[in-house]
């Protein structure tokens, strides 16, 4: 008598991964100051390319013959170009390329994308990072390493103001009703 054939045992189908809920806006972690300064350094390298291209365009269109010709117009143009870059990136996704790399996202207090007016206000207020150092540099007539030292000290002192805030946000974020949060991408699933 032949034994009845049993159907081959199937292993249970793997359960489809359930997406983890997005962290609530209240529980989103604030990126460390070290991470934010690293993103700032990376951002400055990217901005070098933007400023170079915008400066070249300005110089070509105005047929600028030397660096001091139309100097104030060039500064205003670069201020405008940087405003367009930051405001567009912040309103579109809440992140610049450097912020994406370092998993930092800019959002409003409710956890959503910031408005155009918040982005504009944040851009203008963010100049607090450098204006005191530039003013001190101009008043003292510093040049070379001394100028760089004052500029660097100003950035470090401004970054330290985040420790005075309960949520570790910078003053320009507090005033613009925005905040920086740590947003790691979801883990990639194997197919």
């Amino acid at each position: 008598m032949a034994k009845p054939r049993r159907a081959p045992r199937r292993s249970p189908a793997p359960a489809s991964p359930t997406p983890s809920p997005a962290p609530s806006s209240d529980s989103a972690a604030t990126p460390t100051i070290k991470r934010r300064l690293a993103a700032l350094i990376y951002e400055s390298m990217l901005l070098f390319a933007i400023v170079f291209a915008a400066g070249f365009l300005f110089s070509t269109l105005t047929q600028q013959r030397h660096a001091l010709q139309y100097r104030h117009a060039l500064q205003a143009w670069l201020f405008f170009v940087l405003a367009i870059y930051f405001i567009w990136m912040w309103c579109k996704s809440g992140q610049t390329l450097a912020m994406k790399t370092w998993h930092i996202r800019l959002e409003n207090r409710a956890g959503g994308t910031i408005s155009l007016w918040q982005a504009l206000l944040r851009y203008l207020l963010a100049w607090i990072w450098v204006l005191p150092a530039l003013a001190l540099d101009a008043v003292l007539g510093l040049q070379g390493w001394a100028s760089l030292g004052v500029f660097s000290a100003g950035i470090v002192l401004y970054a330290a103001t985040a420790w005075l805030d309960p949520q570790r946000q910078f003053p320009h974020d507090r005033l613009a009703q925005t905040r920086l949060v740590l947003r790691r991408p979801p883990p990639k699933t194997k197919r």
Side-chain angles (χ1 to χ4, degrees), residues 24-142:
S24 71
S25 61
D26 294 336
S27 66
T30 302
T32 63
I33 294 174
K34 182 179 176 181
R35 177 179 286 272
R36 287 184 269 177
L37 289 177
L40 179 69
I41 291 169
Y42 183 39
E43 193 79 68
S44 66
M45 288 188 271
L46 297 172
L47 290 178
F48 179 80
I50 292 170
V51 167
F52 178 81
F56 179 76
L57 180 65
F58 179 88
S59 178
T60 302
L61 293 176
T62 62
Q63 302 212 349
Q64 187 179 22
R65 300 288 179 221
H66 56 82
L68 295 178
Q69 183 181 13
Y70 311 126
R71 181 175 129 200
H72 297 296
L74 174 61
Q75 290 170 341
W77 166 247
L78 294 177
F79 184 81
F80 175 74
V81 167
L82 293 177
I84 296 296
Y85 167 74
F86 282 112
I87 291 170
W88 182 65
M89 296 297 273
W90 292 337
C91 288
K92 181 181 174 208
S93 66
Q95 296 176 303
T96 61
L97 183 59
M99 293 168 76
K100 285 179 187 176
T101 303
W102 286 93
H103 308 297
I104 298 171
R105 185 172 189 278
L106 179 67
E107 54 186 43
N108 61 25
R109 296 284 177 197
T113 305
I114 66 172
S115 70
L116 175 66
W117 297 111
Q118 282 179 302
L120 177 61
L121 180 61
R122 185 178 194 270
Y123 174 75
L124 294 173
L125 291 172
W127 282 95
I128 298 171
W129 276 91
V130 295
L131 287 181
L134 291 175
L136 185 62
D137 190 43
V139 167
L140 298 177
L142 300 176

Side-chain angles (χ1 to χ4, degrees), residues 150-170:
V150 166
F151 186 77
S152 300
I155 288 178
V156 169
L157 288 173
Y158 188 79
T161 62
W163 282 308
L164 302 174
D165 185 74
Q167 282 95 30
R168 299 292 185 247
Q169 297 296 328
F170 294 123

Side-chain angles (χ1 to χ4, degrees), residues 13-22 186-190:
S16 62
T18 57
S20 59
K188 293 182 181 180
T189 58
K190 293 183 181 179

